[in-house]
Amino acid sequence: MTEKRFLDGKILVKVGDITEEKIDAIVNAANSALLGGGGVDGAIHRRGGAKITEECREIRRTAFPHGLPTGKAVITSGGNLPARFVIHTVGPVYGTNGGKDAALLADCYKNSLELAAENNLRTIAFPSISTGVYDYPKGEAAKVSSNAIRDFLSKTDVINEIRLIFFSEPDARLFLEHHNLS
Ligand code: ADP
């Protein structure tokens, strides 16, 4: 699949492994413990190395002793990754939030983008948050994420490029069928 661009070229949709993105920040679909796990989280901690895990441990100790709440975002360095920073956000486990799944998933995108902007980062890459182990239906997630990103871009121009990285071609195609970017 060729890469696709939307919103004056600011949004790039592509297939790939997010740990290979050379960019200001990649977003991690973390869990509330912030200590690594399966899926994209495991890949980021493995490739990024101990520095990221250590910084996460410190964030837990100082700011979130009970874990990072769903929808919130925190930032660490990129460790050994090509990305300069990692923004860790916790997606909703689908069907366990009393009807608030969509609002919480939108928060993940909004809070991650706000944190990037606060740190003067210009480029950021997202995986498809919650659509793996957390079971969020991919078509619905495409609507929620694209709306949240479009809303954010209508309010600020700090971010120049948002890359949406899908782990497989069918996943990217599903996004392209359901998004609200154009
Ligand atoms: P969650 O627990 O939020 O569902 P997962 O890591 O299980 O997180 O999955 C989120 C999405 O990330 C899934 O669509 C999965 O296919 C994708 N994914 C897994 N590994 C990578 C990777 N290295 N790069 C990009 N996307 C990935």
Side-chain angles (χ1 to χ4, degrees), residues 86-103:
V86 177
I87 292 175
H88 306 259
T89 188
V90 182
V93 178
Y94 191 72
T96 68
N97 298 286
K100 300 219 162 63
D101 291 322

Side-chain angles (χ1 to χ4, degrees), residues 16-20 28-31 38-44 89-93 126-136 138 165-168 171:
D17 176 347
I18 200 166
T19 65
E20 291 173 2
N28 181 15
N31 55 54
V40 72
D41 192 12
I44 288 171
T89 188
V90 182
V93 178
F126 282 93
S128 182
I129 298 166
S130 282
T131 64
V133 173
Y134 284 3
D135 219 20
Y136 211 111
K138 291 172 179 172
I165 315 294
F166 293 91
F167 209 34
S168 74
D171 284 359

Side-chain angles (χ1 to χ4, degrees), residues 53-175:
T53 315
E54 208 35 64
E55 287 177 49
C56 283
R57 228 183 272 285
E58 190 59 13
I59 290 169
R60 279 292 307 276
R61 197 178 67 76
T62 55
F64 294 102
H66 303 296
L68 185 65
T70 304
K72 301 282 188 251
V74 295
I75 189 165
T76 66
S77 73
N80 301 326
L81 293 165
R84 293 169 55 214
F85 296 92
V86 177
I87 292 175
H88 306 259
T89 188
V90 182
V93 178
Y94 191 72
T96 68
N97 298 286
K100 300 219 162 63
D101 291 322
L104 289 165
L105 185 61
D107 280 350
C108 288
Y109 285 89
K110 175 172 160 274
N111 290 328
S112 296
L113 288 164
E114 278 176 0
L115 193 52
E118 279 164 27
N119 285 275
N120 282 315
L121 307 182
R122 307 279 166 188
T123 57
I124 181 170
F126 282 93
S128 182
I129 298 166
S130 282
T131 64
V133 173
Y134 284 3
D135 219 20
Y136 211 111
K138 291 172 179 172
E140 277 183 49
K143 291 198 174 74
V144 173
S145 60
S146 57
N147 282 334
I149 289 168
R150 209 194 45 222
D151 284 356
F152 177 85
L153 287 177
S154 71
K155 290 178 198 136
T156 168
D157 53 9
V158 176
I159 308 279
N160 292 333
E161 185 176 72
I162 299 172
R163 298 182 198 157
L164 304 179
I165 315 294
F166 293 91
F167 209 34
S168 74
E169 192 154 332
D171 284 359
R173 288 196 189 288
L174 252 173
F175 177 86

